[in-house]
Amino acid sequence: FMLRLIPTVVERAAKQAADDVRAEALQELQQEVGQVVTAEKQEEMTLRQKAADQAQAAALPYQQAKLRAVQTMWSYVARGRELATAVTQLKAKAVEIADAAIPLQEIGNVVPAQQLQMQAHDLMDKALQMENQAKTLQSSAERINKELASYDAAARQAAAHGAYEVNPSVIDTERDLPKPPYPLVLPSLAFMAAIAPAPAAAPGPAPGPSA
């Protein structure tokens, strides 16, 4: 009877050994799948960070140019306001001097009256010149303000191009990882989400000039 059981026991032992070897091999292969996916995601994260750094570097010259334009715009606005204030004062002074010449002219004191009138005329001419300068500065400030959006657009294009050069996947359609053969499986979505990079914040717009 014991002799008849020997083949069965050997067969079961062989099957168990084969199952153990298969399970161990599957476990090792599954670990390799996890390592490959982890390495892939880490490489993707590295590329995304490099792309973000390159995008920032590419956009920086345009952002700096915009900052200089904003500074120039506000300097024009400030200078224009200073000139506008001076124009008001000069015009008032010119009228005052012209009015002072009238009594002198009425009493026949022509020479001093003409001198005052010439002073008033010179002041008014100076005031008009400064008024034109103030208008030119204001127009220049308004033109710069309208062009500020073009700096933002150029910065976005430069950033996108810089990021694409480092990591084309930031624009190209993302490809899914190929599925391993059964019974191997890819790591869970929770694992994939846990190691995904966080998105970067976008800068805000610059304020424009007020009249």
Side-chain angles (χ1 to χ4, degrees), residues 2-181:
M2 295 297 296
L3 292 176
R4 290 198 301 269
L5 290 177
I6 289 176
T8 302
V9 172
V10 171
E11 182 180 355
R12 289 178 180 176
K15 185 177 181 302
Q16 182 62 45
D19 289 343
D20 291 344
V21 171
R22 179 174 178 274
E24 183 178 355
L26 287 176
Q27 184 177 4
E28 291 178 356
L29 289 174
Q30 186 61 55
Q31 289 177 350
E32 291 180 5
V33 170
Q35 291 172 356
V36 169
V37 172
T38 300
E40 178 74 18
K41 295 305 294 184
Q42 288 176 345
E43 181 180 1
E44 180 182 352
M45 290 172 64
T46 300
L47 285 176
R48 286 186 178 275
Q49 184 59 52
K50 289 182 179 179
D53 294 341
Q54 181 63 26
Q56 184 176 5
L60 183 60
Y62 298 95
Q63 294 169 341
Q64 292 174 335
K66 179 182 178 180
L67 178 60
R68 291 192 295 269
V70 170
Q71 292 172 339
T72 300
M73 177 188 70
W74 283 115
S75 68
Y76 286 172
V77 170
R79 179 58 180 160
R81 289 173 178 172
E82 291 175 357
L83 288 174
T85 300
V87 165
T88 301
Q89 296 173 350
L90 285 177
K91 285 184 176 181
K93 190 64 176 179
V95 172
E96 179 183 343
I97 293 174
D99 290 342
I102 295 176
L104 295 176
Q105 193 171 10
E106 290 177 348
I107 63 175
N109 202 349
V110 179
V111 175
Q114 289 179 343
Q115 291 177 344
L116 289 176
Q117 289 175 350
M118 290 178 61
Q119 290 179 12
H121 187 269
D122 289 342
L123 282 178
M124 187 59 70
D125 284 345
K126 183 63 174 177
L128 293 176
Q129 292 175 10
M130 294 175 66
E131 186 175 32
N132 288 333
Q133 292 177 8
K135 290 179 179 179
T136 299
L137 288 171
Q138 180 63 27
S139 298
S140 298
E142 292 175 354
R143 175 180 54 80
I144 293 175
N145 184 51
K146 292 179 181 179
E147 294 173 352
L148 291 180
S150 65
Y151 290 96
D152 294 332
R156 287 193 296 269
Q157 292 176 358
H161 185 265
Y164 182 81
E165 285 186 329
V166 175
N167 182 14
S169 68
V170 298
I171 296 179
D172 293 343
T173 303
E174 186 176 355
R175 296 186 299 107
D176 292 334
L177 290 172
K179 294 182 179 180

